[in-house]
Each structure stands twice: as structure tokens, then as C-alpha cells.
Amino acid sequence: MKVITNTGEILSEWIAACKLNQLKKGEMLDFDYKDKKILIANLAGKIYASDRICTHADADLSNGILTEDGVTCPLHLSTFNLKTGTPENLPAEIPLKIYNVKIEQNEIYIEVN
Ligand code: FES
């Protein structure tokens, strides 16, 4: 489904990213869509999606560690809360972009805009 303005501009759309049964608890997946590099994570059975590139210095968070606190960057170890995108510790200070997620019939959809 796309959200389109009266001038025809696409504000957002839901993109099928992967099957729910491909992402077990504690696992993360890369998902690229156009110019976006997205991280999809199964944190204790709940699915989250965020930008995949650390806001501090360009590290790929899919190479990091997923814990109950969020995802920890592999380079300088900032941990990002996957519900809010907020970095919980330095050196990262800028939040990650968080994407809305929905699940329909075993398919994980991400809302991109
Ligand atoms: S690159 Fe992620 S904390 Fe520095």
C-alpha cells in the first residue's frame, strides 16, 4: 500500500522485506531498498526495523551484537534502542531512523518513506 499526496508524490509505502519464519529470535537481517540500508531484528519475538548504518562512523550494525537492550555497534560499541533508535551510550549521539513494521501472513513489511 502506498500513501500518495494529491500531487502524486509517494509519502510512504509498505515493502515486503522477508518471511517471518526466516528471522528467528535473536537474529538480524540486512534489507536494502533503493538507497536505504535497513536492519531487521527479532528481539525476543518482536520485530524491529531501523537504519543499518551506525550514526557515529559508518559501521554496519548487522555485524554488531543483538541483546535485550538493542543492537550494539561492532566498531565503537554504542548500543541503540531498537524501539526508539536512541543511542544508550557514547560515542554515538544521533538516533537511528526507526521504520514501522507490520506482519501479515508470515510476511514482514517495512514502511519506507
Ligand atoms: S561506528 Fe558505531 S559507535 Fe562508532
Side-chain angles (χ1 to χ4, degrees):
M1 184 183 108
K2 294 179 182 177
V3 178
I4 302 174
T5 66
N6 56 7
T7 60
E9 180 186 4
I10 297 173
L11 293 180
S12 69
E13 57 187 317
W14 287 94
I15 305 299
C18 65
K19 302 287 186 195
L20 180 60
N21 62 7
Q22 292 177 308
L23 187 62
K24 298 186 176 27
K25 286 181 184 175
E27 290 185 346
M28 300 186 283
L29 283 177
D30 297 358
F31 177 64
D32 292 345
Y33 180 73
K34 296 184 180 173
D35 62 337
K36 298 182 187 313
K37 294 185 181 307
I38 298 173
L39 176 76
I40 305 171
N42 184 336
L43 191 55
K46 181 129 172 66
I47 307 300
Y48 297 95
S50 71
D51 274 343
R52 194 169 78 234
I53 303 303
C54 181
T55 59
H56 176 239
D58 210 30
D60 188 326
L61 294 171
S62 68
N63 295 322
I65 301 163
L66 186 63
T67 69
E68 61 186 24
D69 296 325
V71 62
T72 300
C73 177
L75 198 52
H76 304 117
L77 305 178
S78 282
T79 296
F80 292 89
N81 181 315
L82 287 173
K83 296 177 189 136
T84 63
T86 307
E88 304 288 343
N89 59 306
L90 296 172
E93 298 180 276
I94 300 169
L96 286 175
K97 177 177 176 52
I98 297 296
Y99 297 91
N100 291 327
V101 172
K102 69 178 178 181
I103 298 165
E104 290 180 356
Q105 297 177 348
N106 194 42
E107 194 79 45
I108 297 173
Y109 291 88
I110 310 290
E111 185 179 29
V112 294
N113 46 25

